Amino acid sequence: MEQTFLIYNTLTHKKEAFKPINPGHVGMYVCGPTVYGDAHLGHARPAITFDILFRYLQHLGYKVRYVRNITDVGHLEHDADEGEDKIAKKARLEQLEPMEIAQYYTRRFNSAMEKLNVLPPSIEPHATGHIIEQQQLVKEILDNGYAYVSNGSVYFDIEKYNKDYKYGILSGRTLENIKDASRDTLAGVGEKKNQADFALWKKAQPEHIMRWPSPWSDGFPGWHCECTAMGRKYLGDEFDIHGGGMDLVFPHHECEIAQAQASMGHQAVHYWMHNNMITINGQKMGKSYNNFITLDQFFKGEHELLTKPFSPMTIRFFILSAHYRGTVDFSSEALEAAEKGFARLMNGLKDLKRIQPAKGSSPEITAFVKELSNKLYAAMNDDMQTPIVISELFEACHQVNLLVDRKAKISADDLQTLSQTMHLWIEDILGLINTNDNGGENKALDKVMQMVLDIRAKAKADKDWTTSDKIRDDLNEAGIIIKDTPDGAIWEI
């Protein structure tokens, strides 16, 4: 059946029915990491949010070209036009080449994404690999009169642009607001006409390692240029979706809109989508705030705020348990709750295999199976309401428990439909998988648990209740729950 997929467009501040520019095809660009340190929980949120969007669009039958960039030059300290390049600074401190830093942290970022079951994008372009395209963008903006050269650097002329277009349409800021703010934050930058003007090309100081020749100076591109240039190169002058964290709305994405209009005379993006922030005690998690926990620390449990290690799938479930546009406040307790929620879904899939089909289904089971898929699509089509999707899947797990306990009946056809629906939504769309399903460790645990259950079954047959109860209680203490069913004992973590 055809689905009407509503997504919230930051540009229009409302939900809109998604209609791609080219029927059957979707072009999507998402801002990737600046690779000068390990990925943290704040990086995981946009990666997982737009992974869900990527998966769902493909599920709906679209051919998706998903571009997610790597920023390896031009992102200066404090997101401003002055200061040291973040990667060059890290390279100087560690006495390495900047590209060594970029390559090392790119590999580690992609490794963390793989653990989180984030699908790789169709294209992962690097800013340093597209200097020519960025220089071409700067030339176009200069030729159209919306930029000027000053002391070898090129700056975007916001006042000139604002007369023909409107700067601030994405963030809702006025030029006066931006000017007032920039007087405080960018005071002393004397080569600009206006302190709010942003850099398109920066002349490199003698000590600056990363530099390229250009018509204006030996230097490097401004941070905002890369996404505009690479989006156009791989997705065309107009494309469907541009995503990223809400912290990028201003200035990064606002500047991207201005660059597109100043160079081409029109906007490039139809739908702007932004995920909200991960917070710790109400403050945004980020490297600039020095309050971040890296994904590697989560996986190993090596941080003072963590009570124990948390698996990548627990992190993924934690992020999906809140709507992508809502804030998520981190706590170890919240992650422990997410761990239980993820285990509940995995146990639901595991218990499906234990259900014995009957000749017919109980009326309430037939109704539930019939409606489940519709409810899941309704939630997902309403701007990706993953918490509601998870809630509906929890209810499916409850129905599975009733069937395992033989408190309800299900036909073979209904069981097949229920199983297909749960596997599709949990594994394929939400991307939540049991990472222990394959490999010797899990098979060994299955064998050991079967031996333990056999010993307990013999103890029960011999009416040795002390031994039977001790096995159950000891396993429970170790985090393994034993459930006695009409078909014998089963276990789950």
Side-chain angles (χ1 to χ4, degrees):
M1 65 178 170
E2 192 172 327
Q3 302 290 334
T4 301
F5 182 29
L6 298 176
I7 57 178
Y8 185 86
N9 191 346
T10 310
L11 187 63
T12 59
H13 307 295
K14 64 182 181 182
K15 293 179 191 175
E16 299 176 1
F18 176 67
K19 292 179 182 175
I21 297 165
N22 300 307
H25 294 76
V26 177
M28 179 168 80
Y29 189 101
V30 175
C31 289
T34 301
V35 283
Y36 68 102
D38 274 336
H40 56 71
L41 195 60
H43 294 117
R45 193 169 195 195
I48 290 170
T49 295
F50 293 102
D51 180 59
I52 294 293
L53 180 59
F54 184 33
R55 288 169 178 270
Y56 191 58
L57 288 169
Q58 289 183 111
H59 169 69
L60 293 180
Y62 292 109
K63 185 175 182 180
V64 185
R65 179 176 289 172
Y66 174 18
V67 181
R68 188 185 67 210
N69 69 296
I70 296 290
T71 298
D72 53 2
V73 68
H75 197 168
L76 304 187
E77 294 177 283
H78 315 300
D79 298 350
D81 284 338
E82 296 302 310
E84 200 169 359
D85 184 290
K86 294 183 178 186
I87 292 166
K89 180 179 179 181
K90 183 82 169 179
R92 179 174 55 78
L93 292 172
E94 297 194 12
Q95 296 184 312
L96 295 168
E97 277 289 323
M99 285 301 100
E100 285 184 277
I101 295 293
Q103 184 73 8
Y104 175 77
Y105 286 112
T106 298
R107 281 200 307 266
R108 288 180 65 81
F109 174 81
N110 286 329
S111 173
M113 293 305 106
E114 189 176 345
K115 289 173 185 172
L116 290 167
N117 199 26
V118 169
L119 298 174
S122 316
I123 303 172
E124 191 175 58
H126 292 232
T128 53
H130 297 79
I131 300 298
I132 292 171
E133 289 84 356
Q134 293 176 77
Q135 289 183 353
Q136 182 60 38
L137 173 69
V138 176
K139 286 176 187 172
E140 290 173 7
I141 296 172
L142 274 168
D143 290 345
N144 291 340
Y146 296 108
Y148 56 91
V149 181
S150 179
N151 295 333
S153 293
V154 183
Y155 292 101
F156 191 93
D157 192 334
I158 286 185
E159 282 208 335
K160 175 77 184 297
Y161 172 84
N162 202 55
K163 289 175 184 175
D164 297 329
Y165 300 101
K166 185 177 182 299
Y167 185 78
I169 59 173
L170 188 68
S171 62
R173 302 187 188 204
T174 65
L175 186 57
E176 288 67 34
N177 293 151
I178 296 161
K179 281 182 179 178
D180 290 343
S182 64
R183 282 191 191 101
D184 298 328
T185 58
L186 297 175
V189 186
E191 60 189 33
K192 297 183 180 184
K193 287 182 183 178
N194 188 307
Q195 296 304 323
D197 294 346
F198 59 90
L200 298 172
W201 183 265
K202 285 289 289 180
K203 180 181 179 180
Q205 297 304 311
E207 68 276 7
H208 201 98
I209 310 170
M210 304 176 81
R211 58 173 69 216
W212 290 263
S214 82
W216 317 289
S217 64
D218 276 8
F220 54 92
W223 171 36
H224 312 302
C225 287
E226 58 175 296
C227 293
T228 303
M230 294 191 293
R232 279 172 60 180
K233 181 178 176 69
Y234 296 111
L235 299 173
D237 289 350
E238 287 186 67
F239 57 91
D240 299 298
I241 298 169
H242 194 317
M246 206 170 276
D247 55 333
L248 296 177
V249 170
F250 185 87
H252 188 48
H253 289 164
E254 197 72 79
C255 293
E256 280 194 60
I257 288 176
Q259 288 171 162
Q261 292 203 136
S263 61
M264 299 186 295
H266 61 79
Q267 284 196 55
V269 180
H270 284 211
Y271 301 87
W272 286 90
M273 295 181 70
H274 295 91
N275 63 275
N276 214 322
M277 300 296 99
I278 301 277
T279 58
I280 295 184
N281 299 321
Q283 185 183 42
K284 175 197 164 186
M285 178 183 286
K287 288 173 184 167
S288 55
Y289 296 97
N290 201 31
N291 64 351
F292 63 94
I293 305 173
T294 69
L295 293 173
D296 203 46
Q297 287 173 319
F298 277 107
F299 303 156
K300 295 176 180 175
E302 294 174 351
H303 193 279
E304 60 185 12
L305 294 176
L306 299 172
T307 53
K308 61 178 185 176
F310 291 98
S311 74
M313 286 300 102
T314 296
I315 302 297
R316 188 176 177 100
F317 183 94
F318 170 68
I319 287 170
L320 295 178
S321 61
H323 187 247
Y324 77 92
R325 288 193 290 113
T327 55
V328 177
D329 199 50
F330 157 82
S331 70
S332 207
E333 292 74 23
L335 280 174
E336 287 176 24
E339 189 173 53
K340 290 175 183 173
F342 170 68
R344 186 175 175 186
L345 292 182
M346 292 302 102
N347 287 327
L349 293 181
K350 187 176 174 184
D351 288 344
L352 277 167
K353 299 172 186 173
R354 299 190 173 112
I355 297 171
Q356 296 297 317
K359 289 182 179 178
S361 298
S362 305
E364 63 275 15
I365 292 294
T366 299
F368 177 80
V369 172
K370 189 177 179 182
E371 284 302 312
L372 178 59
S373 189
N374 291 337
K375 288 179 177 178
L376 292 167
Y377 278 115
M380 198 65 178
N381 287 335
D382 184 18
D383 192 34
M384 301 202 308
Q385 291 283 354
T386 55
I388 297 175
V389 170
I390 289 170
S391 175
E392 297 293 351
L393 290 168
F394 277 166
E395 181 55 34
C397 293
H398 172 66
Q399 298 298 324
V400 167
N401 285 337
L402 293 178
L403 293 165
V404 168
D405 293 340
R406 295 190 181 178
K407 293 177 181 175
K409 295 185 298 180
I410 190 168
S411 68
D413 286 348
D414 281 349
L415 179 58
Q416 184 180 20
T417 301
L418 178 61
S419 179
Q420 286 174 344
T421 302
M422 288 179 68
H423 278 281
L424 167 69
W425 283 86
I426 294 172
E427 296 176 334
D428 296 345
I429 295 176
L430 295 185
L432 295 165
I433 55 171
N434 188 346
T435 50
N436 290 325
D437 263 354
N438 299 311
E441 257 184 62
N442 195 61
K443 288 178 182 175
L445 179 60
D446 283 341
K447 283 188 177 181
V448 170
M449 282 306 303
Q450 193 53 56
M451 285 170 53
V452 172
L453 293 182
D454 288 344
I455 292 168
R456 182 170 176 267
K458 185 175 188 310
K460 287 181 75 175
D462 294 342
K463 298 188 178 179
D464 181 0
W465 310 119
T466 303
T467 300
S468 169
D469 291 348
K470 178 170 174 47
I471 290 171
R472 182 198 61 209
D473 295 343
D474 285 356
L475 286 171
N476 192 41
E477 199 173 311
I480 297 173
I481 298 168
I482 300 296
K483 290 167 67 177
D484 291 306
T485 76
D487 298 314
I490 58 175
W491 63 277
E492 60 187 45
I493 296 175

